[in-house]
Structure formats: structure tokens, C-alpha cells
Amino acid sequence: MDQELLAHFDRRIARKGYDNRSEAIRDLIRADLVAEEWERAEGEVVGTISLVYDHHLRSLTKRLTSFQHTRYQMILSSLHVHLDEDNCLEVLVVRGMEPHIRALAERLIATKGVKHGRLTLTTTGKRLS
Ligand code: NI
């Protein structure tokens, strides 16, 4: 392999806190396999949905909570942080079939008054060693 390329890689993984190259390469391989799981969109996924919103907006908190109750089977846990006088951060840990999870995230993020939202998918870990 190109020595210059490897030197770049070694500097990058050192910044990221890896002790050695093989652990970094293992994580890259795992990340690629997880990406493949999403591309196939089959099976169960685990992830988090984060939402930032202004709790002063009338009925927004209520609407977000009501909708979450209709999807309670997919929401394993939720965390609420009061960021300041106005803004709240909510993080949901979700598990379910990929298209359902994506639809849940899209619906929550599209709710009027949600300033920022993001779905981060990971894996159940079953297919990775
Ligand atoms: Ni709050």
C-alpha cells in the first residue's frame, strides 16, 4: 500500500484515539458492513432519533409525545434535556424494521416547530463479530 496514504491514515486514527491500526481497520470494516445492512434495508435496526425544538410553541410538546405513544413498540427509551430557557433536546432510542424506523424519524423531524432532527442508525450487532 502507498506509504504516504498509510501515513495520513495513521495520523488520522491517532487523532481519533486509536492505539493501533488494526483496531481502526476493524472498525472501518464493521462500519462498511453496517452500511450494507442499511442499503439492503432488511431486518431489524437500532438507532437514535434526536430532536431539538422550542417548548414554548403551543401544543408542540404534546403533539410529539402523543405521536410517540402511537409508536411505543419502536421507542425503547427517551431522554429529555432542557438546553436553555427555550430549547429542548429529545433523544429517542428506537428499534424496529428499517422502513418503519425511517418513517417514524421523518414524521417526528417534519413536525412543525422541530428546529433540527437526525436519525442515526446503527445495528443490532448480531451480524457483526
Ligand atoms: Ni425541555
Side-chain angles (χ1 to χ4, degrees):
M1 200 184 283
D2 186 318
Q3 287 307 308
E4 202 182 332
L5 189 64
L6 268 186
H8 274 293
F9 185 67
D10 286 342
R11 283 196 296 274
R12 173 159 168 74
I13 64 178
R15 282 197 300 273
K16 288 173 94 175
Y18 285 103
D19 291 329
N20 60 70
R21 197 186 282 156
S22 63
E23 185 53 32
I25 290 171
R26 251 197 305 276
D27 278 358
L28 282 177
I29 292 170
R30 288 192 193 110
D32 187 65
L33 293 172
V34 170
E36 193 204 13
E37 269 185 44
W38 304 342
E39 281 162 19
R40 286 182 178 177
E42 59 185 24
E44 196 178 38
V45 293
V46 174
T48 58
I49 300 169
S50 57
L51 304 165
V52 174
Y53 61 91
D54 184 338
H55 76 96
H56 293 302
L57 280 179
R58 218 155 56 88
S59 80
L60 176 57
T61 308
K62 202 174 150 197
R63 275 185 289 134
L64 289 173
T65 305
S66 298
F67 181 64
Q68 288 179 44
H69 276 274
T70 70
R71 299 290 187 276
Y72 70 91
Q73 296 101 328
M74 287 191 267
I75 301 171
L76 304 177
S77 182
S78 66
L79 167 77
H80 187 108
V81 178
H82 311 304
L83 294 172
D84 56 29
E85 283 83 357
D86 307 313
N87 296 295
C88 299
L89 166 67
E90 211 157 288
V91 181
L92 312 178
V93 179
V94 292
R95 179 175 198 162
M97 301 307 280
E98 198 264 0
H100 299 160
I101 294 298
R102 205 170 285 280
L104 168 67
E106 282 168 1
R107 172 85 176 265
L108 287 168
I109 292 166
T111 302
K112 192 167 179 251
V114 173
K115 294 179 177 178
H116 182 257
R118 173 149 293 176
L119 167 66
T120 306
L121 287 179
T122 178
T123 171
T124 59
K126 284 177 192 158
R127 293 183 208 115
L128 300 176
S129 54

